[in-house]
Amino acid sequence: MSMMMLAAMALMAADGEGEPPSGMRIVTPPNLSAPSLTAAPQPIIAPAAAFSMSAAAAIGAQWGVVTSTYRSPAHNARVGGVPNSYHLRNRAIDIARRPGVRHHQIAAAYRAAGYVLIESLDEGDHSHFAFADRAASPARPVAQIVSTGEDAGRWRLVFAPKRD
Protein backbone atom coordinates (compact mmCIF):
# COMPACT_ATOMS: atom_id res chain seq x y z
CA MET A 1 0.00 0.00 0.00
CA SER A 2 1.38 3.39 -0.93
CA MET A 3 2.40 6.06 1.57
CA MET A 4 -0.32 8.34 0.18
CA MET A 5 -2.99 5.71 0.78
CA LEU A 6 -1.75 5.22 4.34
CA ALA A 7 -1.81 8.99 4.84
CA ALA A 8 -5.37 9.15 3.52
CA MET A 9 -6.51 6.36 5.84
CA ALA A 10 -4.82 7.92 8.85
CA LEU A 11 -6.27 11.35 8.06
CA MET A 12 -9.81 10.02 7.84
CA ALA A 13 -9.37 8.07 11.06
CA ALA A 14 -7.92 11.13 12.78
CA ASP A 15 -10.97 13.29 12.08
CA GLY A 16 -13.18 10.57 13.56
CA GLU A 17 -15.54 10.48 10.61
CA GLY A 18 -14.07 7.70 8.51
CA GLU A 19 -15.42 9.33 5.35
CA PRO A 20 -13.92 11.83 2.93
CA PRO A 21 -15.25 15.41 2.98
CA SER A 22 -18.69 16.01 1.48
CA GLY A 23 -18.76 15.73 -2.30
CA MET A 24 -15.41 13.94 -2.48
CA ARG A 25 -14.41 10.31 -2.66
CA ILE A 26 -11.18 8.37 -2.30
CA VAL A 27 -9.72 7.30 -5.60
CA THR A 28 -7.52 4.23 -5.58
CA PRO A 29 -4.73 4.27 -8.17
CA PRO A 30 -4.55 1.21 -10.47
CA ASN A 31 -3.11 -1.98 -8.91
CA LEU A 32 -3.99 -0.91 -5.36
CA SER A 33 -6.95 -2.10 -3.36
CA ALA A 34 -9.28 0.44 -1.81
CA PRO A 35 -8.67 1.06 1.90
CA SER A 36 -11.18 -0.18 4.39
CA LEU A 37 -12.82 2.83 6.01
CA THR A 38 -13.79 0.78 9.05
CA ALA A 39 -10.37 -0.76 9.67
CA ALA A 40 -8.26 0.57 12.52
CA PRO A 41 -5.70 3.10 11.27
CA GLN A 42 -2.19 1.77 10.83
CA PRO A 43 0.79 3.86 11.92
CA ILE A 44 2.77 5.39 9.08
CA ILE A 45 5.99 5.29 11.07
CA ALA A 46 6.46 3.48 14.35
CA PRO A 47 9.65 4.88 15.84
CA ALA A 48 11.52 2.99 18.50
CA ALA A 49 11.08 4.41 22.00
CA ALA A 50 14.82 4.32 22.63
CA PHE A 51 17.83 3.62 20.44
CA SER A 52 18.80 -0.04 20.22
CA MET A 53 21.97 -1.07 18.38
CA SER A 54 20.82 -4.70 18.30
CA ALA A 55 17.62 -3.62 16.51
CA ALA A 56 19.64 -1.43 14.13
CA ALA A 57 21.98 -4.35 13.44
CA ALA A 58 19.03 -6.63 12.72
CA ILE A 59 17.80 -4.19 10.07
CA GLY A 60 21.31 -3.88 8.62
CA ALA A 61 21.71 -7.66 8.45
CA GLN A 62 18.74 -7.81 6.07
CA TRP A 63 20.81 -5.86 3.52
CA GLY A 64 24.27 -7.37 4.00
CA VAL A 65 26.85 -8.29 6.64
CA VAL A 66 27.24 -6.02 9.67
CA THR A 67 31.00 -5.58 9.96
CA SER A 68 31.27 -3.03 12.76
CA THR A 69 29.20 -1.49 15.56
CA TYR A 70 30.90 -0.59 18.86
CA ARG A 71 34.67 -0.08 18.74
CA SER A 72 37.05 0.35 21.65
CA PRO A 73 39.43 3.32 21.29
CA ALA A 74 42.31 0.94 20.56
CA HIS A 75 40.38 -0.95 17.88
CA ASN A 76 39.14 2.31 16.37
CA ALA A 77 42.74 3.53 16.07
CA ARG A 78 43.87 0.21 14.50
CA VAL A 79 41.22 0.39 11.76
CA GLY A 80 41.89 4.06 11.01
CA GLY A 81 38.70 5.39 12.57
CA VAL A 82 38.42 9.10 13.32
CA PRO A 83 39.03 10.13 16.96
CA ASN A 84 35.43 11.30 17.46
CA SER A 85 33.83 8.28 15.73
CA TYR A 86 30.26 7.41 16.60
CA HIS A 87 31.47 3.79 16.76
CA LEU A 88 33.15 4.72 20.08
CA ARG A 89 29.71 5.51 21.51
CA ASN A 90 27.95 2.47 19.99
CA ARG A 91 25.97 4.77 17.72
CA ALA A 92 27.39 3.72 14.32
CA ILE A 93 27.19 0.68 12.12
CA ASP A 94 29.05 -0.48 9.01
CA ILE A 95 27.34 -2.85 6.58
CA ALA A 96 29.03 -4.72 3.72
CA ARG A 97 26.16 -4.66 1.24
CA ARG A 98 24.99 -7.76 -0.63
CA PRO A 99 25.40 -7.58 -4.42
CA GLY A 100 22.68 -5.42 -5.93
CA VAL A 101 21.90 -3.57 -2.70
CA ARG A 102 22.29 0.20 -2.91
CA HIS A 103 23.20 2.48 -0.02
CA HIS A 104 20.03 4.55 -0.31
CA GLN A 105 17.88 1.44 0.17
CA ILE A 106 19.40 0.78 3.58
CA ALA A 107 19.13 4.46 4.56
CA ALA A 108 15.45 4.43 3.60
CA ALA A 109 14.88 1.29 5.68
CA TYR A 110 16.41 2.92 8.75
CA ARG A 111 14.38 6.09 8.29
CA ALA A 112 11.19 4.10 7.76
CA ALA A 113 11.90 2.26 11.02
CA GLY A 114 12.10 5.61 12.83
CA TYR A 115 15.86 6.05 13.16
CA VAL A 116 17.37 9.53 12.85
CA LEU A 117 20.55 9.30 10.77
CA ILE A 118 23.37 11.66 11.75
CA GLU A 119 25.71 10.17 9.16
CA SER A 120 24.79 8.22 6.04
CA LEU A 121 27.91 7.47 4.00
CA ASP A 122 28.39 5.23 0.99
CA GLU A 123 32.00 4.16 1.52
CA GLY A 124 32.12 2.19 -1.73
CA ASP A 125 32.60 -1.30 -0.35
CA HIS A 126 30.25 -0.72 2.60
CA SER A 127 27.63 1.61 4.04
CA HIS A 128 28.21 3.59 7.24
CA PHE A 129 25.40 4.99 9.37
CA ALA A 130 25.48 6.91 12.64
CA PHE A 131 22.32 7.28 14.70
CA ALA A 132 20.94 10.03 16.91
CA ASP A 133 20.07 9.27 20.51
CA ARG A 134 16.44 10.04 19.88
CA ALA A 135 13.85 8.44 17.63
CA ALA A 136 12.17 10.35 14.84
CA SER A 137 8.95 12.08 15.73
CA PRO A 138 5.95 10.17 14.39
CA ALA A 139 4.78 11.19 10.96
CA ARG A 140 1.51 13.04 10.82
CA PRO A 141 -0.77 12.58 7.84
CA VAL A 142 -0.61 15.66 5.65
CA ALA A 143 -2.81 14.93 2.64
CA GLN A 144 -5.29 12.59 1.10
CA ILE A 145 -6.08 11.77 -2.50
CA VAL A 146 -9.60 12.74 -3.52
CA SER A 147 -11.74 13.02 -6.62
CA THR A 148 -14.59 15.47 -7.05
CA GLY A 149 -16.36 13.84 -9.96
CA GLU A 150 -17.17 10.61 -11.68
CA ASP A 151 -13.92 10.64 -13.66
CA ALA A 152 -11.64 8.38 -11.61
CA GLY A 153 -8.66 9.52 -13.69
CA ARG A 154 -8.76 13.03 -12.21
CA TRP A 155 -7.65 13.37 -8.62
CA ARG A 156 -6.01 15.92 -6.41
CA LEU A 157 -4.42 16.21 -2.99
CA VAL A 158 -6.26 17.84 -0.13
CA PHE A 159 -3.92 18.95 2.66
CA ALA A 160 -4.84 18.57 6.29
CA PRO A 161 -4.93 21.63 8.52
CA LYS A 162 -2.14 21.98 11.08
CA ARG A 163 -2.98 20.62 14.51
CA ASP A 164 -1.73 22.09 17.74
Side-chain angles (χ1 to χ4, degrees):
M1 189 173 299
S2 75
M3 185 63 107
M4 290 306 295
M5 292 305 296
L6 286 173
M9 290 170 35
L11 180 64
M12 288 186 304
D15 71 11
E17 306 225 354
E19 294 292 329
S22 173
M24 297 184 180
R25 63 188 172 88
I26 294 176
V27 177
T28 304
N31 302 323
L32 291 177
S33 60
S36 167
L37 297 179
T38 59
Q42 299 297 312
I44 294 173
I45 295 178
F51 176 78
S52 165
M53 180 53 80
S54 60
I59 292 171
Q62 295 174 17
W63 300 93
V65 176
V66 175
T67 58
S68 182
T69 55
Y70 171 76
R71 294 179 188 159
S72 68
H75 178 69
N76 191 57
R78 276 194 309 275
V79 298
V82 296
N84 62 346
S85 172
Y86 284 98
H87 286 284
L88 297 169
R89 293 185 264 162
N90 200 30
R91 292 286 183 200
I93 191 169
D94 292 336
I95 303 163
R97 299 181 301 269
R98 285 193 321 265
V101 172
R102 309 269 314 264
H103 175 82
H104 71 88
Q105 293 172 300
I106 305 170
Y110 279 125
R111 288 185 180 106
Y115 290 93
V116 176
L117 300 177
I118 298 170
E119 295 175 345
S120 176
L121 305 171
D122 184 343
E123 303 275 3
D125 64 339
H126 72 280
S127 290
H128 167 87
F129 300 98
F131 306 99
D133 294 340
R134 61 181 175 79
S137 59
R140 176 176 81 72
V142 294
Q144 75 182 57
I145 302 170
V146 296
S147 172
T148 58
E150 295 300 316
D151 183 5
R154 297 186 62 161
W155 27 324
R156 63 189 177 104
L157 293 177
V158 175
F159 290 89
K162 291 184 179 179
R163 294 186 187 167
D164 293 328

